[in-house]
Amino acid sequence: MKGLWVPLFWFLAFSNTILSQSLVEPNQNFLWESFSFRFPEPVVVKIESTLQKKLTVYPAKRDGFFMVVRILPWSEPITDKSFWTQSVFHKPIEPKQLERVVLGKTFRIYQADQIRNQNALRNQVWIQMDAKPYLWIWLQWKTDRKELSDFFESNLFLSL
């Protein structure tokens, strides 16, 4: 049994490796892979190497939102709305699905509010539909932070 742990350790170490972590200032274009993002306040971005490429964004100074970005190996998400509302959102309030075109790219957006730890949160999952590589973005922010709602719902985070 002892011999099994060493290969397992190395597999886990190389399958989920943090490649970099850095501070990004507000409204600065941040390039990752072939995509460009902007953030409403100073953030820490963490680039990870997993089975899929992953970018995680956290506020640097105060609580309020986070963002996870992945590149998907497939083009069409599962279109069963109940799958998304049950697997992506925890106890969703008024889940919706809509499509939006941003800078010529089409995104399917799944959106729902929720209450977690006495915080009212807005959740959105953006899935790019019409170009490779396919982009998956999960946003969550506190709804009492009006400036974050304005920023994310106006697509200002995408500067593709």
Side-chain angles (χ1 to χ4, degrees):
M1 186 70 177
K2 184 178 177 182
L4 175 65
W5 290 108
V6 173
L8 181 61
F9 169 78
W10 287 110
F11 171 76
L12 292 173
F14 286 111
S15 66
N16 191 10
T17 305
I18 296 174
L19 299 177
S20 72
Q21 189 167 318
S22 57
L23 180 68
V24 178
E25 293 300 323
N27 298 315
Q28 176 183 22
N29 280 344
F30 176 77
L31 298 173
W32 177 69
E33 296 299 313
S34 60
F35 304 101
S36 178
F37 301 97
R38 292 186 322 154
F39 307 107
E41 56 191 55
V43 297
V44 174
V45 293
K46 182 170 64 171
I47 299 172
E48 296 179 62
S49 174
T50 61
L51 297 176
Q52 298 173 7
K53 295 177 182 184
K54 178 180 171 186
L55 174 74
T56 307
V57 180
Y58 303 95
K61 295 184 178 181
R62 62 181 178 156
D63 195 13
F65 79 96
F66 81 92
M67 179 176 173
V68 177
V69 182
R70 290 192 170 145
I71 295 175
L72 298 177
W74 40 266
S75 63
E76 192 67 29
I78 297 171
T79 56
D80 178 11
K81 184 178 179 181
S82 65
F83 170 78
W84 281 98
T85 58
Q86 292 170 6
S87 65
V88 176
F89 306 125
H90 178 71
K91 296 183 182 178
I93 301 168
E94 298 182 25
K96 299 183 224 184
Q97 176 184 326
L98 54 128
E99 287 199 3
R100 189 172 288 163
V101 176
V102 178
L103 299 172
K105 303 207 184 315
T106 303
F107 288 88
R108 182 170 295 149
I109 302 167
Y110 298 89
Q111 177 175 297
D113 291 338
Q114 74 181 69
I115 305 296
R116 184 176 283 178
N117 299 330
Q118 299 179 345
N119 291 307
L121 302 172
R122 168 77 36 99
N123 289 279
Q124 289 185 339
V125 173
W126 290 59
I127 300 173
Q128 184 177 348
M129 302 302 297
D130 55 2
K132 288 184 180 180
Y134 302 102
L135 193 63
W136 181 93
I137 304 168
W138 178 23
L139 296 162
Q140 185 178 71
W141 68 89
K142 291 183 174 182
T143 56
D144 65 347
R145 300 243 346 244
K146 179 77 170 115
E147 80 282 7
L148 293 178
S149 293
D150 292 343
F151 184 85
F152 290 120
E153 291 180 356
S154 298
N155 318 324
L156 296 176
F157 67 97
L158 289 173
S159 55
L160 304 169

PDB file of all heavy atoms in Angstrom, residues 78-96:
ATOM      1  N   ILE A  78     -24.767  21.290 -22.177  1.00  0.00           N
ATOM      2  CA  ILE A  78     -26.023  20.559 -21.998  1.00  0.00           C
ATOM      3  C   ILE A  78     -27.132  21.599 -21.914  1.00  0.00           C
ATOM      4  O   ILE A  78     -27.069  22.525 -21.118  1.00  0.00           O
ATOM      5  CB  ILE A  78     -25.957  19.692 -20.731  1.00  0.00           C
ATOM      6  CG1 ILE A  78     -24.867  18.641 -20.895  1.00  0.00           C
ATOM      7  CG2 ILE A  78     -27.308  19.054 -20.448  1.00  0.00           C
ATOM      8  CD1 ILE A  78     -24.556  17.855 -19.654  1.00  0.00           C
ATOM      9  N   THR A  79     -28.137  21.458 -22.742  1.00  0.00           N
ATOM     10  CA  THR A  79     -29.166  22.485 -22.829  1.00  0.00           C
ATOM     11  C   THR A  79     -30.338  22.254 -21.883  1.00  0.00           C
ATOM     12  O   THR A  79     -31.254  23.048 -21.851  1.00  0.00           O
ATOM     13  CB  THR A  79     -29.698  22.599 -24.266  1.00  0.00           C
ATOM     14  OG1 THR A  79     -30.161  21.314 -24.683  1.00  0.00           O
ATOM     15  CG2 THR A  79     -28.614  23.104 -25.202  1.00  0.00           C
ATOM     16  N   ASP A  80     -30.312  21.184 -21.118  1.00  0.00           N
ATOM     17  CA  ASP A  80     -31.369  20.950 -20.143  1.00  0.00           C
ATOM     18  C   ASP A  80     -31.233  21.968 -19.018  1.00  0.00           C
ATOM     19  O   ASP A  80     -30.294  21.931 -18.234  1.00  0.00           O
ATOM     20  CB  ASP A  80     -31.267  19.523 -19.604  1.00  0.00           C
ATOM     21  CG  ASP A  80     -32.296  19.203 -18.541  1.00  0.00           C
ATOM     22  OD1 ASP A  80     -33.233  20.004 -18.339  1.00  0.00           O
ATOM     23  OD2 ASP A  80     -32.163  18.140 -17.908  1.00  0.00           O
ATOM     24  N   LYS A  81     -32.170  22.916 -18.947  1.00  0.00           N
ATOM     25  CA  LYS A  81     -32.110  24.010 -17.972  1.00  0.00           C
ATOM     26  C   LYS A  81     -32.075  23.496 -16.537  1.00  0.00           C
ATOM     27  O   LYS A  81     -31.372  24.042 -15.696  1.00  0.00           O
ATOM     28  CB  LYS A  81     -33.299  24.941 -18.179  1.00  0.00           C
ATOM     29  CG  LYS A  81     -33.278  26.156 -17.294  1.00  0.00           C
ATOM     30  CD  LYS A  81     -34.452  27.047 -17.606  1.00  0.00           C
ATOM     31  CE  LYS A  81     -34.456  28.250 -16.705  1.00  0.00           C
ATOM     32  NZ  LYS A  81     -35.587  29.111 -16.961  1.00  0.00           N
ATOM     33  N   SER A  82     -32.801  22.415 -16.249  1.00  0.00           N
ATOM     34  CA  SER A  82     -32.819  21.908 -14.870  1.00  0.00           C
ATOM     35  C   SER A  82     -31.444  21.395 -14.459  1.00  0.00           C
ATOM     36  O   SER A  82     -31.051  21.510 -13.308  1.00  0.00           O
ATOM     37  CB  SER A  82     -33.881  20.819 -14.705  1.00  0.00           C
ATOM     38  OG  SER A  82     -33.548  19.684 -15.490  1.00  0.00           O
ATOM     39  N   PHE A  83     -30.664  20.859 -15.427  1.00  0.00           N
ATOM     40  CA  PHE A  83     -29.307  20.412 -15.110  1.00  0.00           C
ATOM     41  C   PHE A  83     -28.464  21.582 -14.619  1.00  0.00           C
ATOM     42  O   PHE A  83     -27.776  21.496 -13.619  1.00  0.00           O
ATOM     43  CB  PHE A  83     -28.658  19.774 -16.338  1.00  0.00           C
ATOM     44  CG  PHE A  83     -27.185  19.513 -16.152  1.00  0.00           C
ATOM     45  CD1 PHE A  83     -26.747  18.431 -15.419  1.00  0.00           C
ATOM     46  CD2 PHE A  83     -26.245  20.378 -16.684  1.00  0.00           C
ATOM     47  CE1 PHE A  83     -25.396  18.205 -15.232  1.00  0.00           C
ATOM     48  CE2 PHE A  83     -24.893  20.156 -16.509  1.00  0.00           C
ATOM     49  CZ  PHE A  83     -24.472  19.064 -15.776  1.00  0.00           C
ATOM     50  N   TRP A  84     -28.523  22.708 -15.348  1.00  0.00           N
ATOM     51  CA  TRP A  84     -27.719  23.863 -14.974  1.00  0.00           C
ATOM     52  C   TRP A  84     -28.165  24.455 -13.654  1.00  0.00           C
ATOM     53  O   TRP A  84     -27.336  24.790 -12.803  1.00  0.00           O
ATOM     54  CB  TRP A  84     -27.771  24.923 -16.060  1.00  0.00           C
ATOM     55  CG  TRP A  84     -26.866  24.557 -17.178  1.00  0.00           C
ATOM     56  CD1 TRP A  84     -27.213  23.957 -18.352  1.00  0.00           C
ATOM     57  CD2 TRP A  84     -25.458  24.688 -17.198  1.00  0.00           C
ATOM     58  NE1 TRP A  84     -26.101  23.723 -19.100  1.00  0.00           N
ATOM     59  CE2 TRP A  84     -25.005  24.169 -18.418  1.00  0.00           C
ATOM     60  CE3 TRP A  84     -24.525  25.208 -16.303  1.00  0.00           C
ATOM     61  CZ2 TRP A  84     -23.669  24.152 -18.767  1.00  0.00           C
ATOM     62  CZ3 TRP A  84     -23.187  25.198 -16.658  1.00  0.00           C
ATOM     63  CH2 TRP A  84     -22.779  24.666 -17.872  1.00  0.00           C
ATOM     64  N   THR A  85     -29.448  24.600 -13.467  1.00  0.00           N
ATOM     65  CA  THR A  85     -29.922  25.230 -12.230  1.00  0.00           C
ATOM     66  C   THR A  85     -29.647  24.364 -11.024  1.00  0.00           C
ATOM     67  O   THR A  85     -29.424  24.878  -9.940  1.00  0.00           O
ATOM     68  CB  THR A  85     -31.418  25.571 -12.312  1.00  0.00           C
ATOM     69  OG1 THR A  85     -32.158  24.386 -12.563  1.00  0.00           O
ATOM     70  CG2 THR A  85     -31.680  26.588 -13.397  1.00  0.00           C
ATOM     71  N   GLN A  86     -29.615  23.051 -11.182  1.00  0.00           N
ATOM     72  CA  GLN A  86     -29.357  22.177 -10.040  1.00  0.00           C
ATOM     73  C   GLN A  86     -27.873  21.938  -9.802  1.00  0.00           C
ATOM     74  O   GLN A  86     -27.453  21.772  -8.668  1.00  0.00           O
ATOM     75  CB  GLN A  86     -30.074  20.839 -10.238  1.00  0.00           C
ATOM     76  CG  GLN A  86     -31.575  20.965 -10.187  1.00  0.00           C
ATOM     77  CD  GLN A  86     -32.272  19.686 -10.618  1.00  0.00           C
ATOM     78  OE1 GLN A  86     -31.643  18.668 -10.856  1.00  0.00           O
ATOM     79  NE2 GLN A  86     -33.589  19.762 -10.731  1.00  0.00           N
ATOM     80  N   SER A  87     -27.063  21.904 -10.858  1.00  0.00           N
ATOM     81  CA  SER A  87     -25.654  21.569 -10.671  1.00  0.00           C
ATOM     82  C   SER A  87     -24.762  22.793 -10.491  1.00  0.00           C
ATOM     83  O   SER A  87     -23.757  22.735  -9.809  1.00  0.00           O
ATOM     84  CB  SER A  87     -25.152  20.734 -11.838  1.00  0.00           C
ATOM     85  OG  SER A  87     -25.196  21.489 -13.012  1.00  0.00           O
ATOM     86  N   VAL A  88     -25.104  23.914 -11.106  1.00  0.00           N
ATOM     87  CA  VAL A  88     -24.264  25.101 -11.025  1.00  0.00           C
ATOM     88  C   VAL A  88     -24.694  26.008  -9.881  1.00  0.00           C
ATOM     89  O   VAL A  88     -23.872  26.571  -9.180  1.00  0.00           O
ATOM     90  CB  VAL A  88     -24.291  25.873 -12.362  1.00  0.00           C
ATOM     91  CG1 VAL A  88     -23.511  27.163 -12.263  1.00  0.00           C
ATOM     92  CG2 VAL A  88     -23.733  25.007 -13.472  1.00  0.00           C
ATOM     93  N   PHE A  89     -25.996  26.143  -9.687  1.00  0.00           N
ATOM     94  CA  PHE A  89     -26.506  27.065  -8.688  1.00  0.00           C
ATOM     95  C   PHE A  89     -27.063  26.304  -7.496  1.00  0.00           C
ATOM     96  O   PHE A  89     -27.822  25.360  -7.654  1.00  0.00           O
ATOM     97  CB  PHE A  89     -27.604  27.938  -9.285  1.00  0.00           C
ATOM     98  CG  PHE A  89     -27.176  28.666 -10.532  1.00  0.00           C
ATOM     99  CD1 PHE A  89     -27.887  28.538 -11.706  1.00  0.00           C
ATOM    100  CD2 PHE A  89     -26.067  29.486 -10.531  1.00  0.00           C
ATOM    101  CE1 PHE A  89     -27.502  29.209 -12.852  1.00  0.00           C
ATOM    102  CE2 PHE A  89     -25.675  30.158 -11.664  1.00  0.00           C
ATOM    103  CZ  PHE A  89     -26.397  30.022 -12.828  1.00  0.00           C
ATOM    104  N   HIS A  90     -26.719  26.754  -6.313  1.00  0.00           N
ATOM    105  CA  HIS A  90     -27.211  26.147  -5.078  1.00  0.00           C
ATOM    106  C   HIS A  90     -28.508  26.854  -4.669  1.00  0.00           C
ATOM    107  O   HIS A  90     -28.490  28.040  -4.361  1.00  0.00           O
ATOM    108  CB  HIS A  90     -26.149  26.284  -3.979  1.00  0.00           C
ATOM    109  CG  HIS A  90     -26.569  25.747  -2.662  1.00  0.00           C
ATOM    110  ND1 HIS A  90     -26.706  24.412  -2.432  1.00  0.00           N
ATOM    111  CD2 HIS A  90     -26.890  26.377  -1.517  1.00  0.00           C
ATOM    112  CE1 HIS A  90     -27.094  24.243  -1.184  1.00  0.00           C
ATOM    113  NE2 HIS A  90     -27.209  25.422  -0.610  1.00  0.00           N
ATOM    114  N   LYS A  91     -29.618  26.142  -4.695  1.00  0.00           N
ATOM    115  CA  LYS A  91     -30.940  26.694  -4.366  1.00  0.00           C
ATOM    116  C   LYS A  91     -31.194  28.005  -5.119  1.00  0.00           C
ATOM    117  O   LYS A  91     -31.303  29.077  -4.527  1.00  0.00           O
ATOM    118  CB  LYS A  91     -31.077  26.904  -2.871  1.00  0.00           C
ATOM    119  CG  LYS A  91     -31.027  25.616  -2.070  1.00  0.00           C
ATOM    120  CD  LYS A  91     -31.233  25.876  -0.594  1.00  0.00           C
ATOM    121  CE  LYS A  91     -31.134  24.579   0.173  1.00  0.00           C
ATOM    122  NZ  LYS A  91     -31.268  24.771   1.606  1.00  0.00           N
ATOM    123  N   PRO A  92     -31.291  27.929  -6.454  1.00  0.00           N
ATOM    124  CA  PRO A  92     -31.449  29.149  -7.252  1.00  0.00           C
ATOM    125  C   PRO A  92     -32.796  29.822  -7.048  1.00  0.00           C
ATOM    126  O   PRO A  92     -33.806  29.171  -6.820  1.00  0.00           O
ATOM    127  CB  PRO A  92     -31.313  28.643  -8.679  1.00  0.00           C
ATOM    128  CG  PRO A  92     -31.768  27.216  -8.616  1.00  0.00           C
ATOM    129  CD  PRO A  92     -31.332  26.725  -7.264  1.00  0.00           C
ATOM    130  N   ILE A  93     -32.789  31.145  -7.122  1.00  0.00           N
ATOM    131  CA  ILE A  93     -34.000  31.955  -7.070  1.00  0.00           C
ATOM    132  C   ILE A  93     -34.196  32.529  -8.469  1.00  0.00           C
ATOM    133  O   ILE A  93     -33.324  33.221  -8.990  1.00  0.00           O
ATOM    134  CB  ILE A  93     -33.866  33.090  -6.034  1.00  0.00           C
ATOM    135  CG1 ILE A  93     -33.598  32.512  -4.642  1.00  0.00           C
ATOM    136  CG2 ILE A  93     -35.100  33.977  -6.047  1.00  0.00           C
ATOM    137  CD1 ILE A  93     -33.169  33.548  -3.621  1.00  0.00           C
ATOM    138  N   GLU A  94     -35.320  32.243  -9.081  1.00  0.00           N
ATOM    139  CA  GLU A  94     -35.670  32.727 -10.418  1.00  0.00           C
ATOM    140  C   GLU A  94     -34.554  32.509 -11.454  1.00  0.00           C
ATOM    141  O   GLU A  94     -34.034  33.476 -12.027  1.00  0.00           O
ATOM    142  CB  GLU A  94     -36.055  34.205 -10.366  1.00  0.00           C
ATOM    143  CG  GLU A  94     -37.273  34.484  -9.517  1.00  0.00           C
ATOM    144  CD  GLU A  94     -37.670  35.950  -9.528  1.00  0.00           C
ATOM    145  OE1 GLU A  94     -37.343  36.660 -10.499  1.00  0.00           O
ATOM    146  OE2 GLU A  94     -38.317  36.371  -8.561  1.00  0.00           O
ATOM    147  N   PRO A  95     -34.180  31.253 -11.719  1.00  0.00           N
ATOM    148  CA  PRO A  95     -33.152  31.011 -12.738  1.00  0.00           C
ATOM    149  C   PRO A  95     -33.636  31.414 -14.126  1.00  0.00           C
ATOM    150  O   PRO A  95     -34.812  31.296 -14.450  1.00  0.00           O
ATOM    151  CB  PRO A  95     -32.910  29.504 -12.654  1.00  0.00           C
ATOM    152  CG  PRO A  95     -34.115  28.945 -11.993  1.00  0.00           C
ATOM    153  CD  PRO A  95     -34.706  30.025 -11.140  1.00  0.00           C
ATOM    154  N   LYS A  96     -32.697  31.935 -14.927  1.00  0.00           N
ATOM    155  CA  LYS A  96     -32.997  32.386 -16.289  1.00  0.00           C
ATOM    156  C   LYS A  96     -31.901  31.914 -17.232  1.00  0.00           C
ATOM    157  O   LYS A  96     -30.771  31.664 -16.801  1.00  0.00           O
ATOM    158  CB  LYS A  96     -33.006  33.910 -16.388  1.00  0.00           C
ATOM    159  CG  LYS A  96     -33.980  34.641 -15.569  1.00  0.00           C
ATOM    160  CD  LYS A  96     -33.837  36.124 -15.897  1.00  0.00           C
ATOM    161  CE  LYS A  96     -33.849  36.918 -14.624  1.00  0.00           C
ATOM    162  NZ  LYS A  96     -33.806  38.338 -14.825  1.00  0.00           N
TER     163      LYS A  96
END
